[in-house]
Amino acid sequence: MVETQIKFVVVGHHSRYMQARSLAESLGAVMLIDSGDHGANWNHRRALEWAAGQTCRVVILEDDALPVVSFHRGIYSWLRDFPDSLISFYLGTGRPPQYQMQIAERLIVADKTRADYITLPRLIHGVCYSVPPQQIERVLTRWDNSKPADYAVGDAYGGDVIYPCSSLVDHADGEPVEHHPDQQLRTERRRAWRLA
């Protein structure tokens, strides 16, 4: 049964411990809390190191991910259809601003061609994603500690990323806990373009 071949891990910040725990419990997930303010890059790498030791596909979620009702069914379906692809189960508005026009254009094309996903050359959200098991070691080897977590994952992966047009998680969009190197405030609305 394919259901037994997927595990979930929630990466969380200590200030959101209860939120992370609630999400992890709802998914039967492993929880990795950053209790020392090491940052998202450090914690996402830890999640991938844990995933590398598993014998199945692993889905990584951030503590502010909000799964849709059909989350599990959607996850199994996408991972079955794209076993060799990096998949992001969240496609968000607002951040990063430089990708929003490209996302809008690709969604229009997808609607016209009745496609249920778009691709982008980079992972631009770390809210909920899955790296193919056979690529995890390469991602860890090519990891850049200086990049935001999502870019670190996607750039180390080095290929197109699948984004379902209808996201399987929304984003709680609370106060950011990450200290971003660009020092820019995250004021844009950060929610899913569409939800499944």
Side-chain angles (χ1 to χ4, degrees), residues 50-96:
W50 181 83
Q54 306 309 306
T55 57
C56 62
R57 191 85 186 232
V58 172
V59 175
I60 297 169
L61 300 97
E62 291 183 333
D63 55 21
D64 54 2
L66 302 169
V68 298
V69 173
S70 58
F71 177 76
H72 282 91
R73 189 172 64 243
I75 291 282
Y76 297 126
S77 175
W78 284 101
L79 294 181
R80 182 193 63 231
D81 293 348
F82 295 95
D84 303 317
S85 298
L86 171 54
I87 306 175
S88 173
F89 299 103
Y90 172 76
L91 184 60
T93 62
R95 301 293 310 179

Coordinates of all heavy atoms in Angstrom, one line a residue, residues 50-96:
W50 N 17.5 13.6 8.1 CA 16.6 12.6 8.6 C 16.0 11.8 7.5 O 15.9 10.6 7.5 CB 15.5 13.2 9.5 CG 14.6 12.2 10.1 CD1 14.8 11.5 11.2 CD2 13.3 11.8 9.6 NE1 13.7 10.6 11.5 CE2 12.8 10.8 10.5 CE3 12.6 12.2 8.5 CZ2 11.6 10.2 10.3 CZ3 11.3 11.6 8.3 CH2 10.9 10.6 9.2
A51 N 15.5 12.5 6.4 CA 14.8 11.9 5.3 C 15.8 10.9 4.6 O 15.4 9.9 4.1 CB 14.3 13.0 4.3
A52 N 17.1 11.3 4.6 CA 18.1 10.4 3.9 C 18.2 9.1 4.5 O 18.5 8.1 3.9 CB 19.4 11.1 3.9
G53 N 17.8 9.0 5.8 CA 17.9 7.7 6.5 C 16.6 6.9 6.4 O 16.5 5.8 7.0
Q54 N 15.6 7.4 5.7 CA 14.3 6.7 5.6 C 14.3 5.8 4.3 O 15.1 6.1 3.4 CB 13.2 7.7 5.6 CG 13.1 8.6 6.7 CD 13.3 7.9 8.1 OE1 12.5 7.0 8.4 NE2 14.2 8.3 8.9
T55 N 13.5 4.8 4.3 CA 13.4 4.0 3.1 C 12.2 4.3 2.2 O 11.8 3.5 1.4 CB 13.3 2.5 3.5 OG1 12.1 2.4 4.4 CG2 14.5 2.0 4.3
C56 N 11.6 5.5 2.4 CA 10.4 5.9 1.7 C 10.5 7.4 1.4 O 11.5 8.1 1.8 CB 9.2 5.6 2.5 SG 9.1 6.6 4.0
R57 N 9.5 7.9 0.7 CA 9.4 9.3 0.3 C 9.1 10.1 1.6 O 8.3 9.6 2.4 CB 8.4 9.5 -0.7 CG 8.3 10.9 -1.4 CD 9.3 11.0 -2.5 NE 9.4 12.4 -3.0 CZ 9.2 12.7 -4.3 NH1 9.0 11.8 -5.2 NH2 9.3 14.0 -4.7
V58 N 9.7 11.3 1.8 CA 9.4 12.1 2.9 C 8.9 13.5 2.5 O 9.5 14.0 1.5 CB 10.7 12.3 3.8 CG1 10.5 13.3 4.9 CG2 11.2 10.9 4.4
V59 N 7.9 14.0 3.1 CA 7.3 15.3 2.9 C 7.7 16.2 4.1 O 7.5 15.8 5.2 CB 5.8 15.2 2.7 CG1 5.2 16.7 2.5 CG2 5.4 14.4 1.5
I60 N 8.3 17.3 3.8 CA 8.7 18.3 4.8 C 7.8 19.4 4.8 O 7.5 20.0 3.8 CB 10.2 18.7 4.5 CG1 11.2 17.5 4.6 CG2 10.6 19.8 5.5 CD1 12.5 17.8 4.1
L61 N 7.3 19.8 6.0 CA 6.4 20.9 6.2 C 6.9 21.8 7.2 O 7.5 21.4 8.2 CB 5.0 20.4 6.7 CG 4.2 19.4 5.9 CD1 4.4 18.0 6.4 CD2 2.7 19.8 5.9
E62 N 6.7 23.1 7.1 CA 7.0 24.1 8.1 C 5.9 24.2 9.1 O 4.7 23.8 8.8 CB 7.3 25.5 7.4 CG 8.6 25.4 6.6 CD 9.0 26.8 6.0 OE1 8.1 27.6 5.7 OE2 10.2 27.0 5.7
D63 N 6.2 24.8 10.2 CA 5.2 24.8 11.3 C 4.0 25.6 11.0 O 2.9 25.5 11.7 CB 5.8 25.2 12.6 CG 6.6 26.6 12.5 OD1 6.3 27.4 11.6 OD2 7.4 26.8 13.4
D64 N 4.1 26.5 10.0 CA 2.9 27.4 9.7 C 2.2 26.9 8.4 O 1.4 27.6 7.8 CB 3.3 28.8 9.5 CG 4.5 29.1 8.6 OD1 4.9 28.1 7.9 OD2 4.9 30.2 8.4
A65 N 2.4 25.6 8.0 CA 1.6 25.0 6.9 C 0.2 24.7 7.4 O 0.1 24.2 8.5 CB 2.4 23.8 6.4
L66 N -0.8 24.9 6.5 CA -2.1 24.6 6.9 C -2.7 23.6 5.8 O -3.1 24.0 4.8 CB -3.0 25.8 6.8 CG -2.6 27.0 7.8 CD1 -3.3 28.3 7.4 CD2 -2.8 26.6 9.2
P67 N -2.6 22.3 6.1 CA -3.0 21.3 5.1 C -4.5 21.4 4.8 O -5.3 21.6 5.7 CB -2.7 19.9 5.8 CG -1.7 20.2 6.8 CD -2.0 21.6 7.3
V68 N -4.9 21.1 3.5 CA -6.3 21.1 3.1 C -6.9 19.8 3.5 O -6.2 18.8 3.9 CB -6.4 21.3 1.6 CG1 -5.9 22.6 1.1 CG2 -5.7 20.2 0.8
V69 N -8.2 19.7 3.5 CA -8.9 18.5 3.9 C -8.4 17.3 3.1 O -8.3 16.2 3.6 CB -10.4 18.7 3.7 CG1 -11.2 17.4 4.0 CG2 -10.9 19.8 4.6
S70 N -8.2 17.4 1.8 CA -7.8 16.3 0.9 C -6.3 16.1 0.9 O -5.8 15.6 -0.1 CB -8.4 16.5 -0.5 OG -7.9 17.8 -1.0
F71 N -5.6 16.6 1.9 CA -4.1 16.7 1.9 C -3.5 15.3 1.6 O -2.7 15.2 0.6 CB -3.6 17.2 3.2 CG -2.1 17.2 3.4 CD1 -1.3 18.2 2.7 CD2 -1.5 16.3 4.2 CE1 0.0 18.2 2.9 CE2 -0.1 16.3 4.3 CZ 0.7 17.3 3.7
H72 N -3.8 14.3 2.4 CA -3.2 13.0 2.2 C -3.4 12.4 0.8 O -2.5 11.9 0.2 CB -3.6 12.0 3.3 CG -2.9 12.2 4.6 ND1 -3.5 13.1 5.6 CD2 -1.8 11.7 5.1 CE1 -2.6 13.1 6.6 NE2 -1.6 12.3 6.3
R73 N -4.7 12.4 0.4 CA -5.0 11.9 -0.9 C -4.2 12.6 -2.0 O -3.7 12.0 -2.9 CB -6.5 12.0 -1.2 CG -7.0 11.3 -2.4 CD -8.5 11.2 -2.6 NE -9.1 12.6 -2.7 CZ -9.9 13.1 -1.9 NH1 -10.3 12.5 -0.8 NH2 -10.4 14.3 -2.1
G74 N -4.1 13.9 -1.9 CA -3.4 14.7 -2.9 C -1.9 14.4 -2.9 O -1.3 14.2 -4.0
I75 N -1.3 14.3 -1.7 CA 0.1 14.0 -1.6 C 0.4 12.6 -2.3 O 1.3 12.5 -3.1 CB 0.5 13.9 -0.1 CG1 0.5 15.3 0.5 CG2 1.9 13.3 0.1 CD1 1.6 16.2 0.2
Y76 N -0.4 11.6 -1.9 CA -0.1 10.3 -2.5 C -0.2 10.3 -4.0 O 0.6 9.7 -4.7 CB -1.1 9.2 -1.9 CG -0.9 9.1 -0.4 CD1 -2.0 9.2 0.4 CD2 0.3 8.8 0.1 CE1 -1.8 9.0 1.8 CE2 0.5 8.6 1.5 CZ -0.6 8.7 2.3 OH -0.4 8.6 3.7
S77 N -1.2 11.0 -4.5 CA -1.4 11.1 -6.0 C -0.3 11.8 -6.7 O 0.3 11.3 -7.7 CB -2.7 11.9 -6.2 OG -2.9 12.1 -7.6
W78 N 0.2 12.9 -6.2 CA 1.3 13.7 -6.8 C 2.6 12.9 -6.7 O 3.3 12.9 -7.7 CB 1.4 15.1 -6.2 CG 0.4 16.0 -6.7 CD1 -0.7 16.4 -6.0 CD2 0.4 16.7 -7.9 NE1 -1.5 17.2 -6.8 CE2 -0.8 17.4 -8.0 CE3 1.2 16.7 -9.0 CZ2 -1.2 18.2 -9.1 CZ3 0.8 17.5 -10.1 CH2 -0.3 18.2 -10.1
L79 N 2.9 12.3 -5.6 CA 4.1 11.5 -5.4 C 4.1 10.3 -6.3 O 5.2 9.9 -6.8 CB 4.4 11.2 -4.0 CG 4.7 12.4 -3.1 CD1 4.9 12.0 -1.6 CD2 5.8 13.3 -3.6
R80 N 3.0 9.7 -6.5 CA 2.8 8.5 -7.4 C 3.1 9.0 -8.8 O 3.8 8.3 -9.6 CB 1.5 7.9 -7.2 CG 1.3 6.7 -8.1 CD -0.2 6.3 -8.2 NE -1.0 7.3 -8.9 CZ -2.1 7.9 -8.4 NH1 -2.6 7.5 -7.3 NH2 -2.7 8.8 -9.1
D81 N 2.6 10.1 -9.2 CA 2.7 10.6 -10.6 C 4.0 11.1 -10.9 O 4.5 11.2 -12.1 CB 1.6 11.6 -10.9 CG 0.2 11.0 -10.9 OD1 0.1 9.7 -10.9 OD2 -0.8 11.8 -10.9
F82 N 4.7 11.7 -9.9 CA 6.0 12.3 -10.1 C 7.1 11.8 -9.1 O 7.6 12.5 -8.3 CB 5.9 13.8 -10.0 CG 5.1 14.4 -11.1 CD1 3.7 14.7 -10.8 CD2 5.6 14.8 -12.3 CE1 2.9 15.3 -11.8 CE2 4.8 15.3 -13.3 CZ 3.5 15.6 -13.1
P83 N 7.4 10.5 -9.2 CA 8.3 9.9 -8.3 C 9.7 10.4 -8.3 O 10.5 10.3 -7.3 CB 8.3 8.4 -8.6 CG 7.9 8.4 -10.1 CD 7.0 9.5 -10.3
D84 N 10.1 11.0 -9.4 CA 11.5 11.5 -9.6 C 11.6 13.0 -9.6 O 12.7 13.5 -10.0 CB 12.1 10.9 -10.9 CG 12.0 9.4 -11.0 OD1 12.3 8.8 -10.0 OD2 11.6 8.9 -12.0
S85 N 10.6 13.7 -9.1 CA 10.6 15.2 -9.2 C 10.6 15.8 -7.8 O 10.0 15.2 -6.9 CB 9.4 15.7 -10.0 OG 9.5 15.2 -11.3
L86 N 11.2 16.9 -7.7 CA 11.0 17.8 -6.5 C 9.7 18.4 -6.6 O 9.4 19.1 -7.7 CB 12.1 18.8 -6.4 CG 12.0 19.9 -5.3 CD1 11.8 19.4 -3.9 CD2 13.2 20.8 -5.4
I87 N 8.8 18.3 -5.7 CA 7.4 18.8 -5.7 C 7.2 19.8 -4.6 O 7.5 19.4 -3.4 CB 6.4 17.7 -5.7 CG1 6.6 16.7 -6.7 CG2 5.0 18.3 -5.8 CD1 5.6 15.5 -6.6
S88 N 6.7 21.0 -4.9 CA 6.3 21.9 -3.8 C 4.8 21.9 -3.8 O 4.1 22.1 -4.8 CB 6.8 23.3 -4.2 OG 6.2 24.2 -3.2
F89 N 4.2 21.6 -2.6 CA 2.8 21.5 -2.4 C 2.2 22.8 -2.0 O 1.0 22.9 -1.7 CB 2.4 20.4 -1.4 CG 3.0 19.0 -1.9 CD1 4.1 18.5 -1.3 CD2 2.3 18.3 -2.9 CE1 4.6 17.2 -1.8 CE2 2.8 17.1 -3.3 CZ 3.9 16.6 -2.8
Y90 N 3.0 23.9 -2.2 CA 2.5 25.2 -1.9 C 3.0 26.2 -2.9 O 4.2 26.2 -3.2 CB 3.0 25.7 -0.5 CG 2.7 27.1 -0.2 CD1 1.4 27.5 0.2 CD2 3.7 28.1 -0.2 CE1 1.1 28.9 0.5 CE2 3.4 29.4 0.0 CZ 2.1 29.8 0.4 OH 1.8 31.1 0.7
L91 N 2.1 27.0 -3.5 CA 2.5 28.0 -4.5 C 1.9 29.3 -3.9 O 0.6 29.5 -3.9 CB 1.9 27.7 -5.8 CG 2.3 28.6 -7.0 CD1 3.8 28.7 -7.2 CD2 1.6 28.2 -8.3
G92 N 2.7 30.2 -3.5 CA 2.2 31.3 -2.7 C 2.3 32.7 -3.4 O 3.1 32.9 -4.3
T93 N 1.4 33.6 -2.9 CA 1.4 35.0 -3.4 C 2.4 35.8 -2.5 O 2.8 35.3 -1.5 CB 0.0 35.5 -3.2 OG1 -0.4 35.5 -1.8 CG2 -1.1 34.7 -4.0
G94 N 2.7 37.0 -3.0 CA 3.4 37.9 -2.2 C 4.9 37.7 -2.3 O 5.7 38.5 -2.8
R95 N 5.4 36.6 -1.7 CA 6.8 36.3 -1.7 C 7.1 35.1 -2.5 O 6.3 34.1 -2.5 CB 7.3 36.0 -0.2 CG 7.1 37.1 0.8 CD 7.8 38.3 0.6 NE 9.3 38.1 0.4 CZ 10.1 39.1 0.3 NH1 9.7 40.4 0.2 NH2 11.4 38.9 0.1
P96 N 8.3 35.0 -3.2 CA 9.1 36.2 -3.4 C 8.5 37.0 -4.6 O 8.0 36.5 -5.5 CB 10.5 35.5 -3.9 CG 10.3 34.0 -3.8 CD 8.9 33.7 -3.6

